[in-house]
Amino acid sequence: MTDNDMIDDEMSAGSGAPVDGDADAGQAGDAQTAEQGGGQVARIAALEAELAEARAATLYAQAETQNVRRRMEKDAADARAYAATAFARDVLSVSDNLERALAAIPAELRDDDRFKALVIGLEATGREIASVFERHGISRIQSLGEKLDPNRHQAMMEIASDAEPGTIVQEMQPGFMIRDRLLRPALVGVAKAG
């Protein structure tokens, strides 16, 4: 083979005319490109799924954080509003004893000049306790003449009466609310049927 023949062979190979070896390489390259493209599509789909999952987890975490914040704010508000509940229950017994003491003073001693100042002082103390209760959201439950409400009253006995059955006709111990919660139920007697 001469130099010219070799040049002709190289030129024919470089002229773009397909040679059998080149055709197989082209198909393999196309298959590899298709495989890479399919792998990229699968990878993109997997990443999009992960992103959607991460977004959902973030939204869930934000909602949970907001719920926790609301619960804590409500608990703090309740703590401020009802912090004095135990103390108020204890003070109710002092108020009850003061009322009993005033009720126990006979009418003739109320008019006696020697006891008049004592009675006036006890009554003033009772009014002050009522005022303090009112300032702190503690209110007395009205019972007499009302229908028995098991959420506010505790029936202690049934009493024969002309009133409609279930109506409160006697109050043995007053009940109290602290804002919208029961502090102490009223102990009452209700009219019985028949």
Side-chain angles (χ1 to χ4, degrees):
M1 185 177 241
T2 65
D3 287 339
N4 287 338
D5 291 338
M6 287 173 85
I7 291 173
D8 287 341
D9 284 344
E10 285 178 21
M11 291 198 67
S12 66
S15 67
V19 179
D20 285 344
D22 286 343
D24 288 342
Q27 288 176 353
D30 289 345
Q32 185 178 9
T33 303
E35 185 178 305
Q36 285 177 348
Q40 287 178 348
V41 169
R43 177 71 177 147
I44 289 171
L47 289 173
E48 286 176 346
E50 285 181 32
L51 178 61
E53 187 178 317
R55 283 183 179 155
T58 300
L59 287 174
Y60 177 78
Q62 288 173 341
E64 183 63 23
T65 301
Q66 190 174 15
N67 288 340
V68 167
R69 184 180 316 117
R70 282 188 192 136
R71 276 194 300 270
M72 289 181 67
E73 287 171 357
K74 183 185 180 310
D75 289 347
D78 284 351
R80 284 189 299 275
Y82 303 108
T85 299
F87 178 72
R89 272 195 199 105
D90 292 341
V91 173
L92 286 179
S93 64
V94 174
S95 176
D96 292 341
N97 288 334
L98 183 61
E99 283 184 27
R100 284 188 207 103
L102 283 167
I105 299 172
E108 62 271 2
L109 288 180
R110 286 179 181 267
D111 295 332
D112 189 338
D113 289 338
R114 292 178 295 165
F115 293 102
K116 201 169 210 158
L118 175 64
V119 172
I120 290 171
L122 289 173
E123 288 172 344
T125 303
R127 285 191 301 275
E128 183 63 25
I129 288 175
S131 173
V132 169
F133 283 173
E134 188 178 320
R135 279 197 309 268
H136 293 281
I138 300 168
S139 58
R140 189 176 185 143
I141 297 172
Q142 296 302 318
S143 298
L144 289 176
E146 300 283 325
K147 284 299 238 179
L148 180 69
D149 178 357
N151 296 315
R152 300 183 313 145
H153 306 119
Q154 184 174 345
M156 301 303 290
M157 63 182 162
E158 288 187 319
I159 301 169
S161 172
D162 295 335
E164 183 180 336
T167 302
I168 298 170
V169 292
Q170 183 181 358
E171 182 180 71
M172 283 147 286
Q173 181 179 23
F176 288 87
M177 301 286 289
I178 183 165
R179 290 176 178 57
D180 60 343
R181 291 187 183 174
L182 182 67
L183 184 59
R184 180 178 78 185
L187 304 182
V188 297
V190 295
K192 68 178 173 179

